[in-house]
Structure formats: C-alpha cells, structure tokens
Amino acid sequence: EFHRISKIKTWSTLKVHSDEVLHVAFCPSGRYFATTSRDCKVYIWMISPHSRRSVTILGIITSEAWSYAMKAEFNSTGSHIAITTVVRERDETGVICIYQLPSCQHVSNIVTFPRDTYGAWFGERSLVTSHYNVNEAATDLYLHDLNRTRNSDKRIFTETLNRARCSIRLFSVARQPKDHTEVFLFYATSYSEVPHNNYVHSHVVRVVRLAHRDEAPQSDGVRPTLMSSTIHVLDEEPEDATREDGVISTCHRCVGGSIVGVESDITSGTVLVNYRPWVDESRYTVSQSLEIKVFDFELNLLWSIHSGDALTDSDNYFLLFPSPCYPYFLCSDELGAIRIYDYRHRCLITCIQGHEDVISVVKASPTDPNFIVSVSDDYTVKLWEIPAKKYVPDCH
C-alpha cells in the first residue's frame, strides 16, 4: 500500500504581487517560504507553528536596481537567502543578492554571466555560482564563501568544450545527511553556437562528486575537492571536458532535449530532469510535450514519464522546476496544471488545474509534504492541502 491522494484543496490565494510570479522556495525548517516576481519584489512568508493555514508576511526585499527577481533559495539553516536577479534588462549580466534573515539585511552581491545563470547553496555560508568567460569560450565554477571578506570567490574548476559557447545555468546540491563530507553537485550545461540563445541548447546534465571540509570559518575558506563527474541527457557523446585538476568527465548517451529544470532529492537518492525533447536532429525545434527523467546519483536512468504540456516555441519557453517531496514529486506546466507522481510505483497519481496561466514552480514543504505552494504568471500564489489515505495502487 501507499498513500493515495484523494482530493486536493486550495485553501488560500495570495494576491500581493503586481506582475508574474516566477519562483517559490521553502527554507529547510519549513517555517518560511519566499516568492519572487517580475514586480522586483521578494516576499518572505512566515508559517505559524500552530497552523500551516496561518501565513503572514515576514518581510519584503526589493531594489530599484533590479529589472526583476528570478529565483530564491534558502541556505541549509534558513539564516540567509540568495536571490537571483536581473539588474539591467538589456545587459546579459545578472546578480545573485544575499540577504540575512529574518532581518532582510543585505550581505553581499555575486555577479554572474549570462544573467539567467542560477547558483545553489553549497553549505550554510557558501554558494556555488558560475561565470562565462567570453575570451576562452568556457565557464568557471566558483565557490563564494561568506566567511571571507576578500577574494571570497574560489574557482572549483573550468567547464570548456570546443564550441562557441559553454555556459552553466541550473544548479542543484545534494548533501549526504550523516556526516556531510560528501556533496553531489548537479548542473545543466548549455553548449551553443548561438551566443544569445541559451534555452534551446541546455541539454547536458553533469554530476560532480565533492569532498567537503568542515565549514567553520577558516583563513583559506571552504575547499571542495573534485572526485568524479559524469555527463548525461545527450543523444550523442560530446567531446570530453577538461578540469583544472586533470579529471576527465565520462560521457554517456541518452535521449536529447532542452532542459527546463533540475532538482535533486537526498531522501530518494534521485535527480529529476525536466526537459522538452527535440523533434528533429537539428536541435532547434522542441516538442510541446514535457518529459521527466529520473536518475540515481550516479546518473543511471531509472525511469521517465510525461510531465506536462507546453505552448511556447523553441526560441522562448519557460523554466519549469520539478519538486521532490518523497514519496511524491511535483511538476507543473505551461497550461496551468499541477501533476503529482509516486516515486515507488513510478506513476502519475493526479493532475489538477490550479491557475489561469503558466505555473513556473510548485513546491512542497520539506517538513510537511501535504502542504504545497504554487506560483504562476497569473500574478497569484496558491496554497494547497493534500489529504491522503491508503489504498491498493491502481496506477501503472
């Protein structure tokens, strides 16, 4: 037996944003969540410890320098939040802004290139980011350490292939829960011969296995050590990528498509890759179907399933982040639908219509998987409750 979702209820719709809502993120304790929007505002919401139905605004983060706020992520303790922003609409440079919570005090900025490059927390006070080097047509991965006041960016390694552009956009970090000494860093890489077009060519997912030292403040900061790396989600083997430490990545063959979201889940030991398959060999045309590939941490394909539908064309489509919440995982699509899947039986449990426009992200609370939040281009944030009951599975 496993839990069958009987009826999903939306019990609150938050209408505070004045433009498209692009992302939602929970802090690890489940006490806070944040929503980002094109209105240049990030709302920090506090959930009452007595009832998840009581949600209040803890703070509002905004800046006149922003064009919009794309993504938010809390660190491992919920003491800081990283906000990926676009500063100038016509400039390809982006900025990841770090704020301390609950005061919402600004701590530091990290410049990224191109602007639609997201970072990920590597630990409590360190963030993994990337920067595309135009002159060398390569991307450097950096570790930004908040413990250090000078020269805080330490280059981990360089991603370089014999192509016109090699940029790293999406990150996900999975830390072993026992001793925290082994960390898995997953990221999506874009190899493009068209410099202004990253979306169509984001088709490779890598895993980097890192050994991690104690995160206590040190004079030389946190030093990750590269142990191994792997390439996946590509329909032909690319050239090997060289690393600073001499490690050569291993290439594997898989179905091709343009990646729109990557998330890892330490509980199930899986990586969720959401992508739109190519419809021809040119790689310039994507289908109107969304697919999810479920990998283990060694990037062996476990299974795949249809994850939604899309309307946008090959040159301008949405990032749609999957959300693990074992024993389920969640996906959204461009038609305003939310789908909930079961990990163990590898099937779709239910599909609900919750918004009038694209749902960029739907997230479950890390401490209460029956509480989920969705954000949409219809300017709204919806809070959902998933009642569950045991049943004999009827999905295939």
Side-chain angles (χ1 to χ4, degrees):
E1 293 185 341
F2 71 102
H3 285 82
R4 169 70 170 182
I5 297 175
S6 55
K7 187 178 181 181
I8 298 178
K9 302 175 183 177
T10 174
W11 49 266
S12 183
T13 300
L14 309 177
K15 299 180 179 180
V16 296
H17 288 286
S18 59
D19 208 329
E20 299 169 356
V21 190
L22 302 179
H23 198 263
V24 59
F26 277 92
C27 72
S29 68
R31 186 180 179 186
Y32 308 125
F33 67 90
T35 55
T36 68
S37 171
R38 287 187 179 272
D39 64 7
C40 300
K41 293 180 180 179
V42 179
Y43 282 83
I44 311 297
W45 303 87
M46 182 172 65
I47 304 169
S48 170
H50 306 292
S51 173
R52 65 187 179 199
R53 295 199 173 206
S54 178
V55 178
T56 57
I57 297 175
L58 177 68
I60 304 173
I61 300 174
T62 187
S63 172
E64 295 182 356
W66 297 351
S67 293
Y68 56 93
M70 294 189 293
K71 185 178 182 289
E73 184 180 349
F74 293 88
N75 69 346
S76 58
T77 61
S79 63
H80 292 77
I81 186 172
I83 302 170
T84 304
T85 68
V86 173
V87 177
R88 294 175 294 276
E89 188 71 44
R90 295 183 179 180
D91 192 342
E92 285 200 2
T93 300
V95 175
I96 299 177
C97 304
I98 312 297
Y99 290 84
Q100 187 173 3
L101 298 176
S103 64
C104 297
Q105 180 180 357
H106 180 256
V107 176
S108 65
N109 288 336
I110 305 170
V111 178
T112 62
F113 179 78
R115 66 183 185 186
D116 54 355
T117 297
Y118 304 103
W121 286 101
F122 186 76
E124 181 181 351
R125 295 184 61 82
S126 52
L127 194 81
V128 177
T129 62
S130 69
H131 193 90
Y132 175 66
N133 189 322
V134 178
N135 296 328
E136 298 181 6
T139 292
D140 296 322
L141 263 71
Y142 287 94
L143 189 69
H144 181 85
D145 187 359
L146 301 185
N147 290 328
R148 301 173 66 187
T149 57
R150 293 184 179 180
N151 300 322
S152 61
D153 289 344
K154 175 179 176 55
R155 184 165 61 180
I156 303 175
F157 56 83
T158 298
E159 180 87 2
T160 175
L161 275 83
N162 296 326
R163 298 180 186 245
R165 187 184 185 111
C166 169
S167 60
I168 299 172
R169 308 181 56 243
L170 305 175
F171 294 86
S172 181
V173 173
R175 183 184 299 274
Q176 294 288 10
K178 294 183 179 180
D179 54 13
H180 289 194
T181 58
E182 188 174 54
V183 184
F184 294 88
L185 168 64
F186 303 92
Y187 60 91
T189 307
S190 169
Y191 303 118
S192 175
E193 296 178 359
V194 185
H196 66 276
N197 192 338
N198 286 324
Y199 290 92
V200 174
H201 299 279
S202 294
H203 53 258
V204 173
V205 165
R206 295 183 188 272
V207 56
V208 178
R209 196 172 166 188
L210 300 169
H212 189 251
R213 290 184 179 180
D214 186 5
E215 282 197 331
Q218 302 174 20
S219 60
D220 60 346
V222 181
R223 287 192 173 184
T225 302
L226 184 65
M227 295 171 63
S228 63
S229 60
T230 311
I231 300 178
H232 260 281
V233 193
L234 184 64
D235 60 348
E236 69 176 28
E237 293 191 14
E239 304 139 32
D240 286 339
T242 58
R243 311 289 187 181
E244 281 191 336
D245 57 359
V247 176
I248 304 298
S249 58
T250 305
C251 303
H252 295 270
R253 190 170 296 179
C254 195
V255 298
S258 296
I259 298 170
V260 297
V262 178
E263 291 290 348
S264 57
D265 178 28
I266 195 68
T267 304
S268 62
T270 59
V271 185
L272 305 177
V273 179
N274 201 18
Y275 76 107
R276 291 176 65 172
W278 291 308
V279 298
D280 54 38
E281 296 181 357
S282 69
R283 301 185 186 174
Y284 287 94
T285 305
V286 295
S287 71
Q288 293 184 331
S289 174
L290 291 160
E291 305 289 333
I292 281 279
K293 286 190 177 294
V294 182
F295 298 94
D296 62 19
F297 275 9
E298 299 298 327
L299 289 187
N300 298 306
L301 180 63
L302 302 178
W303 54 289
S304 60
I305 196 169
H306 173 74
S307 63
D309 301 298
L311 294 175
T312 49
D313 57 30
S314 300
D315 295 325
N316 185 25
Y317 54 81
F318 295 91
L319 293 177
L320 301 169
F321 296 90
S323 175
C325 54
Y326 193 81
Y328 314 123
F329 69 85
L330 315 174
C331 294
S332 60
D333 67 12
E334 294 185 8
L335 303 185
I338 298 172
R339 288 174 170 82
I340 303 179
Y341 299 85
D342 182 85
Y343 266 116
R344 290 166 292 181
H345 292 81
R346 303 183 176 185
C347 66
L348 173 68
I349 298 176
T350 189
C351 177
I352 56 176
Q353 290 294 137
H355 290 270
E356 298 177 357
D357 209 327
V358 177
I359 303 176
S360 299
V361 185
V362 54
K363 287 281 187 180
S365 167
T367 57
D368 183 3
N370 290 333
F371 172 44
I372 65 175
V373 179
S374 59
V375 298
S376 171
D377 283 10
D378 64 9
Y379 301 8
T380 66
V381 179
K382 288 184 180 289
L383 312 182
W384 303 81
E385 184 177 32
I386 306 178
K389 64 181 181 180
K390 286 189 175 181
Y391 93 120
V392 177
D394 59 359
C395 55
H396 304 281

CSV table of all heavy atoms in Angstrom, one decimal, residues 317-361:
chain,number,residue,atom,x,y,z
A,317,TYR,N,10.9,29.8,-24.3
A,317,TYR,CA,10.0,29.0,-23.4
A,317,TYR,C,10.4,29.1,-22.0
A,317,TYR,O,11.4,29.7,-21.6
A,317,TYR,CB,9.9,27.5,-23.9
A,317,TYR,CG,11.2,26.8,-24.0
A,317,TYR,CD1,11.9,26.3,-23.0
A,317,TYR,CD2,11.8,26.7,-25.3
A,317,TYR,CE1,13.1,25.6,-23.1
A,317,TYR,CE2,13.0,26.0,-25.5
A,317,TYR,CZ,13.7,25.5,-24.4
A,317,TYR,OH,14.8,24.8,-24.6
A,318,PHE,N,9.7,28.5,-21.1
A,318,PHE,CA,9.8,28.7,-19.7
A,318,PHE,C,10.6,27.6,-19.0
A,318,PHE,O,10.7,26.5,-19.4
A,318,PHE,CB,8.4,28.7,-19.0
A,318,PHE,CG,7.5,29.8,-19.4
A,318,PHE,CD1,6.7,29.7,-20.5
A,318,PHE,CD2,7.5,31.0,-18.7
A,318,PHE,CE1,5.8,30.7,-20.9
A,318,PHE,CE2,6.7,32.0,-19.1
A,318,PHE,CZ,5.9,31.9,-20.2
A,319,LEU,N,11.3,28.0,-17.9
A,319,LEU,CA,12.0,27.1,-17.0
A,319,LEU,C,10.9,26.6,-16.0
A,319,LEU,O,10.1,27.4,-15.4
A,319,LEU,CB,13.1,27.8,-16.2
A,319,LEU,CG,14.3,28.2,-17.0
A,319,LEU,CD1,15.3,28.9,-16.1
A,319,LEU,CD2,15.0,27.0,-17.7
A,320,LEU,N,10.8,25.3,-15.9
A,320,LEU,CA,9.7,24.7,-15.1
A,320,LEU,C,10.4,23.7,-14.1
A,320,LEU,O,10.9,22.6,-14.5
A,320,LEU,CB,8.7,24.0,-15.9
A,320,LEU,CG,8.0,24.9,-16.9
A,320,LEU,CD1,7.1,24.0,-17.9
A,320,LEU,CD2,7.0,25.8,-16.2
A,321,PHE,N,10.6,24.1,-12.9
A,321,PHE,CA,11.4,23.3,-11.9
A,321,PHE,C,10.5,22.2,-11.3
A,321,PHE,O,9.5,22.5,-10.7
A,321,PHE,CB,11.9,24.2,-10.8
A,321,PHE,CG,12.9,25.3,-11.3
A,321,PHE,CD1,12.4,26.5,-11.7
A,321,PHE,CD2,14.2,25.0,-11.4
A,321,PHE,CE1,13.3,27.5,-12.2
A,321,PHE,CE2,15.1,25.9,-11.9
A,321,PHE,CZ,14.6,27.2,-12.3
A,322,PRO,N,11.0,20.9,-11.4
A,322,PRO,CA,10.3,19.9,-10.6
A,322,PRO,C,10.6,20.0,-9.1
A,322,PRO,O,11.5,20.7,-8.7
A,322,PRO,CB,10.9,18.6,-11.2
A,322,PRO,CG,12.2,19.0,-11.7
A,322,PRO,CD,12.1,20.4,-12.1
A,323,SER,N,9.8,19.4,-8.3
A,323,SER,CA,9.9,19.5,-6.9
A,323,SER,C,9.8,18.1,-6.2
A,323,SER,O,8.7,17.5,-6.2
A,323,SER,CB,8.9,20.4,-6.3
A,323,SER,OG,8.9,20.5,-4.9
A,324,PRO,N,10.9,17.6,-5.6
A,324,PRO,CA,10.8,16.3,-4.9
A,324,PRO,C,10.2,16.5,-3.5
A,324,PRO,O,10.5,17.5,-2.8
A,324,PRO,CB,12.2,15.8,-4.8
A,324,PRO,CG,13.0,17.1,-4.9
A,324,PRO,CD,12.2,18.0,-5.7
A,325,CYS,N,9.3,15.6,-3.1
A,325,CYS,CA,8.8,15.6,-1.7
A,325,CYS,C,8.4,14.1,-1.4
A,325,CYS,O,7.2,13.8,-1.4
A,325,CYS,CB,7.6,16.5,-1.5
A,325,CYS,SG,6.3,16.3,-2.7
A,326,TYR,N,9.4,13.3,-1.2
A,326,TYR,CA,9.2,11.9,-1.1
A,326,TYR,C,8.1,11.5,-0.1
A,326,TYR,O,8.0,12.1,1.0
A,326,TYR,CB,10.5,11.2,-0.6
A,326,TYR,CG,10.5,9.7,-0.7
A,326,TYR,CD1,10.8,9.1,-1.9
A,326,TYR,CD2,10.2,8.9,0.4
A,326,TYR,CE1,10.8,7.7,-2.0
A,326,TYR,CE2,10.2,7.6,0.3
A,326,TYR,CZ,10.5,7.0,-0.9
A,326,TYR,OH,10.5,5.6,-1.0
A,327,PRO,N,7.1,10.6,-0.5
A,327,PRO,CA,7.2,9.7,-1.6
A,327,PRO,C,6.6,10.2,-2.9
A,327,PRO,O,6.4,9.4,-3.8
A,327,PRO,CB,6.3,8.5,-1.1
A,327,PRO,CG,5.3,9.2,-0.2
A,327,PRO,CD,6.0,10.4,0.4
A,328,TYR,N,6.4,11.5,-3.0
A,328,TYR,CA,5.9,12.1,-4.2
A,328,TYR,C,7.0,13.0,-4.9
A,328,TYR,O,8.0,13.4,-4.2
A,328,TYR,CB,4.7,13.0,-3.9
A,328,TYR,CG,3.6,12.4,-3.1
A,328,TYR,CD1,3.2,13.0,-1.9
A,328,TYR,CD2,3.0,11.2,-3.4
A,328,TYR,CE1,2.3,12.5,-1.1
A,328,TYR,CE2,2.1,10.6,-2.6
A,328,TYR,CZ,1.7,11.3,-1.4
A,328,TYR,OH,0.8,10.7,-0.6
A,329,PHE,N,6.7,13.4,-6.1
A,329,PHE,CA,7.4,14.6,-6.7
A,329,PHE,C,6.4,15.3,-7.5
A,329,PHE,O,5.4,14.7,-8.0
A,329,PHE,CB,8.7,14.3,-7.4
A,329,PHE,CG,8.5,13.6,-8.7
A,329,PHE,CD1,8.2,14.2,-9.9
A,329,PHE,CD2,8.7,12.2,-8.8
A,329,PHE,CE1,8.1,13.5,-11.1
A,329,PHE,CE2,8.6,11.5,-10.0
A,329,PHE,CZ,8.3,12.2,-11.1
A,330,LEU,N,6.5,16.6,-7.6
A,330,LEU,CA,5.6,17.5,-8.3
A,330,LEU,C,6.2,18.1,-9.5
A,330,LEU,O,7.4,18.4,-9.6
A,330,LEU,CB,5.2,18.7,-7.3
A,330,LEU,CG,4.9,18.3,-5.9
A,330,LEU,CD1,4.6,19.5,-5.0
A,330,LEU,CD2,3.7,17.4,-5.8
A,331,CYS,N,5.3,18.4,-10.5
A,331,CYS,CA,5.7,19.1,-11.7
A,331,CYS,C,4.5,20.0,-12.1
A,331,CYS,O,3.4,19.8,-11.8
A,331,CYS,CB,5.9,18.1,-12.9
A,331,CYS,SG,7.4,17.1,-12.6
A,332,SER,N,4.9,21.1,-12.8
A,332,SER,CA,3.9,22.0,-13.4
A,332,SER,C,4.1,22.2,-14.9
A,332,SER,O,5.2,21.7,-15.4
A,332,SER,CB,3.9,23.3,-12.6
A,332,SER,OG,5.2,23.9,-12.8
A,333,ASP,N,3.2,22.8,-15.5
A,333,ASP,CA,3.4,23.0,-17.0
A,333,ASP,C,2.9,24.4,-17.4
A,333,ASP,O,2.5,25.2,-16.6
A,333,ASP,CB,2.7,21.9,-17.8
A,333,ASP,CG,1.2,21.9,-17.7
A,333,ASP,OD1,0.6,22.9,-17.2
A,333,ASP,OD2,0.6,20.9,-18.2
A,334,GLU,N,3.0,24.6,-18.7
A,334,GLU,CA,2.6,26.0,-19.3
A,334,GLU,C,1.1,26.2,-19.4
A,334,GLU,O,0.7,27.3,-19.8
A,334,GLU,CB,3.3,26.2,-20.6
A,334,GLU,CG,4.8,26.2,-20.5
A,334,GLU,CD,5.5,26.6,-21.8
A,334,GLU,OE1,4.8,26.9,-22.8
A,334,GLU,OE2,6.7,26.5,-21.9
A,335,LEU,N,0.3,25.1,-19.2
A,335,LEU,CA,-1.1,25.2,-19.3
A,335,LEU,C,-1.8,25.4,-17.9
A,335,LEU,O,-3.0,25.3,-17.8
A,335,LEU,CB,-1.7,24.0,-20.0
A,335,LEU,CG,-1.1,23.7,-21.4
A,335,LEU,CD1,-1.9,22.6,-22.0
A,335,LEU,CD2,-1.2,25.0,-22.3
A,336,GLY,N,-1.0,25.6,-16.9
A,336,GLY,CA,-1.6,25.8,-15.6
A,336,GLY,C,-2.0,24.6,-14.8
A,336,GLY,O,-2.8,24.6,-13.9
A,337,ALA,N,-1.4,23.5,-15.1
A,337,ALA,CA,-1.7,22.2,-14.5
A,337,ALA,C,-0.6,21.8,-13.5
A,337,ALA,O,0.6,22.1,-13.7
A,337,ALA,CB,-1.9,21.1,-15.5
A,338,ILE,N,-0.9,21.1,-12.4
A,338,ILE,CA,0.0,20.6,-11.4
A,338,ILE,C,-0.2,19.0,-11.4
A,338,ILE,O,-1.3,18.5,-11.3
A,338,ILE,CB,-0.3,21.1,-10.0
A,338,ILE,CG1,-0.1,22.6,-10.0
A,338,ILE,CG2,0.6,20.4,-9.0
A,338,ILE,CD1,-0.5,23.2,-8.7
A,339,ARG,N,1.0,18.3,-11.6
A,339,ARG,CA,0.9,16.9,-11.6
A,339,ARG,C,1.7,16.3,-10.4
A,339,ARG,O,2.8,16.9,-10.1
A,339,ARG,CB,1.5,16.3,-12.9
A,339,ARG,CG,0.6,16.5,-14.1
A,339,ARG,CD,1.2,16.1,-15.4
A,339,ARG,NE,0.3,16.1,-16.5
A,339,ARG,CZ,-0.1,17.1,-17.2
A,339,ARG,NH1,0.5,18.3,-16.9
A,339,ARG,NH2,-0.9,17.0,-18.2
A,340,ILE,N,1.2,15.3,-9.8
A,340,ILE,CA,1.8,14.7,-8.6
A,340,ILE,C,2.1,13.2,-9.0
A,340,ILE,O,1.2,12.5,-9.4
A,340,ILE,CB,0.9,14.8,-7.4
A,340,ILE,CG1,0.6,16.3,-7.1
A,340,ILE,CG2,1.6,14.1,-6.2
A,340,ILE,CD1,-0.2,16.5,-5.9
A,341,TYR,N,3.3,12.8,-8.8
A,341,TYR,CA,3.8,11.4,-9.2
A,341,TYR,C,4.2,10.7,-7.9
A,341,TYR,O,4.6,11.3,-6.9
A,341,TYR,CB,4.9,11.5,-10.2
A,341,TYR,CG,4.6,12.2,-11.5
A,341,TYR,CD1,4.7,13.6,-11.6
A,341,TYR,CD2,4.2,11.5,-12.6
A,341,TYR,CE1,4.4,14.2,-12.8
A,341,TYR,CE2,3.9,12.1,-13.8
A,341,TYR,CZ,4.0,13.5,-13.8
A,341,TYR,OH,3.7,14.1,-15.0
A,342,ASP,N,4.2,9.4,-8.0
A,342,ASP,CA,4.6,8.5,-6.9
A,342,ASP,C,6.0,7.9,-7.3
A,342,ASP,O,6.1,7.3,-8.4
A,342,ASP,CB,3.6,7.4,-6.7
A,342,ASP,CG,4.0,6.5,-5.5
A,342,ASP,OD1,3.7,6.8,-4.4
A,342,ASP,OD2,4.7,5.5,-5.8
A,343,TYR,N,7.0,8.1,-6.4
A,343,TYR,CA,8.3,7.6,-6.7
A,343,TYR,C,8.3,6.0,-6.8
A,343,TYR,O,8.9,5.5,-7.8
A,343,TYR,CB,9.2,8.0,-5.5
A,343,TYR,CG,10.0,9.2,-5.7
A,343,TYR,CD1,9.8,10.3,-4.9
A,343,TYR,CD2,11.0,9.4,-6.7
A,343,TYR,CE1,10.5,11.5,-5.1
A,343,TYR,CE2,11.7,10.5,-6.9
A,343,TYR,CZ,11.4,11.6,-6.1
A,343,TYR,OH,12.1,12.8,-6.3
A,344,ARG,N,7.7,5.4,-5.8
A,344,ARG,CA,7.9,3.9,-5.7
A,344,ARG,C,7.2,3.2,-6.8
A,344,ARG,O,7.7,2.2,-7.4
A,344,ARG,CB,7.4,3.4,-4.4
A,344,ARG,CG,8.3,3.9,-3.2
A,344,ARG,CD,7.7,3.7,-1.9
A,344,ARG,NE,6.6,4.6,-1.7
A,344,ARG,CZ,5.9,4.7,-0.6
A,344,ARG,NH1,6.2,3.9,0.4
A,344,ARG,NH2,4.9,5.5,-0.5
A,345,HIS,N,6.0,3.6,-7.2
A,345,HIS,CA,5.2,2.9,-8.2
A,345,HIS,C,5.4,3.6,-9.6
A,345,HIS,O,4.8,3.1,-10.6
A,345,HIS,CB,3.7,2.9,-7.9
A,345,HIS,CG,3.5,2.0,-6.7
A,345,HIS,ND1,3.7,2.5,-5.4
A,345,HIS,CD2,3.0,0.7,-6.6
A,345,HIS,CE1,3.3,1.5,-4.5
A,345,HIS,NE2,3.0,0.4,-5.2
A,346,ARG,N,6.2,4.7,-9.7
A,346,ARG,CA,6.6,5.3,-10.9
A,346,ARG,C,5.4,5.6,-11.8
A,346,ARG,O,5.3,5.3,-13.0
A,346,ARG,CB,7.5,4.4,-11.7
A,346,ARG,CG,8.8,4.0,-10.9
A,346,ARG,CD,9.8,3.2,-11.7
A,346,ARG,NE,11.0,2.9,-10.9
A,346,ARG,CZ,12.0,2.3,-11.3
A,346,ARG,NH1,12.0,1.9,-12.6
A,346,ARG,NH2,13.1,2.1,-10.6
A,347,CYS,N,4.4,6.3,-11.2
A,347,CYS,CA,3.2,6.7,-12.0
A,347,CYS,C,2.7,8.0,-11.6
A,347,CYS,O,3.0,8.6,-10.5
A,347,CYS,CB,2.1,5.6,-11.7
A,347,CYS,SG,1.6,5.5,-10.0
A,348,LEU,N,1.8,8.5,-12.4
A,348,LEU,CA,1.0,9.8,-12.1
A,348,LEU,C,-0.1,9.4,-11.2
A,348,LEU,O,-0.9,8.5,-11.5
A,348,LEU,CB,0.5,10.4,-13.5
A,348,LEU,CG,-0.4,11.6,-13.3
A,348,LEU,CD1,0.3,12.8,-12.8
A,348,LEU,CD2,-1.1,11.9,-14.7
A,349,ILE,N,-0.2,10.2,-10.1
A,349,ILE,CA,-1.3,10.0,-9.2
A,349,ILE,C,-2.5,10.8,-9.5
A,349,ILE,O,-3.6,10.4,-9.5
A,349,ILE,CB,-0.8,10.2,-7.7
A,349,ILE,CG1,0.3,9.2,-7.3
A,349,ILE,CG2,-2.0,10.1,-6.7
A,349,ILE,CD1,0.9,9.5,-6.0
A,350,THR,N,-2.2,12.1,-9.7
A,350,THR,CA,-3.3,13.0,-10.0
A,350,THR,C,-2.8,14.2,-10.8
A,350,THR,O,-1.6,14.6,-10.7
A,350,THR,CB,-4.0,13.5,-8.7
A,350,THR,OG1,-5.2,14.2,-9.0
A,350,THR,CG2,-3.1,14.4,-7.9
A,351,CYS,N,-3.7,14.9,-11.4
A,351,CYS,CA,-3.4,16.2,-12.2
A,351,CYS,C,-4.5,17.2,-11.8
A,351,CYS,O,-5.7,16.8,-11.9
A,351,CYS,CB,-3.4,15.9,-13.7
A,351,CYS,SG,-3.1,17.4,-14.6
A,352,ILE,N,-4.2,18.4,-11.4
A,352,ILE,CA,-5.2,19.4,-11.0
A,352,ILE,C,-4.9,20.7,-11.8
A,352,ILE,O,-3.8,21.0,-12.1
A,352,ILE,CB,-5.1,19.7,-9.5
A,352,ILE,CG1,-3.7,20.1,-9.1
A,352,ILE,CG2,-5.6,18.4,-8.8
A,352,ILE,CD1,-3.6,20.4,-7.6
A,353,GLN,N,-5.9,21.4,-12.1
A,353,GLN,CA,-5.8,22.7,-12.7
A,353,GLN,C,-5.9,23.8,-11.6
A,353,GLN,O,-6.9,23.8,-10.9
A,353,GLN,CB,-6.9,23.0,-13.7
A,353,GLN,CG,-6.8,22.1,-15.0
A,353,GLN,CD,-5.6,22.5,-15.8
A,353,GLN,OE1,-4.9,21.7,-16.3
A,353,GLN,NE2,-5.4,23.8,-15.9
A,354,GLY,N,-4.9,24.5,-11.4
A,354,GLY,CA,-4.9,25.5,-10.3
A,354,GLY,C,-4.7,26.9,-10.7
A,354,GLY,O,-5.1,27.8,-9.8
A,355,HIS,N,-4.2,27.2,-11.9
A,355,HIS,CA,-4.0,28.6,-12.2
A,355,HIS,C,-4.5,28.9,-13.6
A,355,HIS,O,-4.8,28.0,-14.4
A,355,HIS,CB,-2.5,28.9,-12.2
A,355,HIS,CG,-2.0,29.0,-10.8
A,355,HIS,ND1,-1.9,30.1,-10.0
A,355,HIS,CD2,-1.4,28.0,-10.0
A,355,HIS,CE1,-1.4,29.8,-8.8
A,355,HIS,NE2,-1.0,28.6,-8.8
A,356,GLU,N,-4.6,30.1,-14.0
A,356,GLU,CA,-5.1,30.6,-15.3
A,356,GLU,C,-3.9,30.8,-16.3
A,356,GLU,O,-4.2,31.2,-17.4
A,356,GLU,CB,-5.9,31.8,-15.2
A,356,GLU,CG,-7.2,31.6,-14.3
A,356,GLU,CD,-8.0,32.9,-14.1
A,356,GLU,OE1,-7.5,34.0,-14.7
A,356,GLU,OE2,-9.0,32.9,-13.5
A,357,ASP,N,-2.7,30.6,-15.9
A,357,ASP,CA,-1.6,30.8,-16.7
A,357,ASP,C,-0.5,29.8,-16.4
A,357,ASP,O,-0.7,28.9,-15.6
A,357,ASP,CB,-1.1,32.3,-16.6
A,357,ASP,CG,-0.5,32.8,-17.9
A,357,ASP,OD1,0.2,32.0,-18.6
A,357,ASP,OD2,-0.6,34.0,-18.2
A,358,VAL,N,0.7,30.1,-16.9
A,358,VAL,CA,1.9,29.2,-16.7
A,358,VAL,C,2.2,29.1,-15.2
A,358,VAL,O,2.2,30.1,-14.5
A,358,VAL,CB,3.1,29.7,-17.4
A,358,VAL,CG1,4.3,28.8,-17.1
A,358,VAL,CG2,2.9,29.8,-18.9
A,359,ILE,N,2.4,27.8,-14.7
A,359,ILE,CA,2.9,27.6,-13.3
A,359,ILE,C,4.4,27.3,-13.4
A,359,ILE,O,4.8,26.3,-13.8
A,359,ILE,CB,2.1,26.5,-12.6
A,359,ILE,CG1,0.6,26.7,-12.7
A,359,ILE,CG2,2.6,26.3,-11.2
A,359,ILE,CD1,-0.2,25.5,-12.1
A,360,SER,N,5.2,28.3,-13.0
A,360,SER,CA,6.6,28.2,-13.1
A,360,SER,C,7.2,27.1,-12.1
A,360,SER,O,8.0,26.3,-12.4
A,360,SER,CB,7.3,29.5,-12.9
A,360,SER,OG,6.9,30.4,-13.9
A,361,VAL,N,6.6,27.2,-10.9
A,361,VAL,CA,7.2,26.3,-9.8
A,361,VAL,C,6.0,25.9,-8.9
A,361,VAL,O,5.1,26.7,-8.6
A,361,VAL,CB,8.3,27.0,-9.0
A,361,VAL,CG1,8.9,26.0,-8.0
A,361,VAL,CG2,9.3,27.6,-9.9
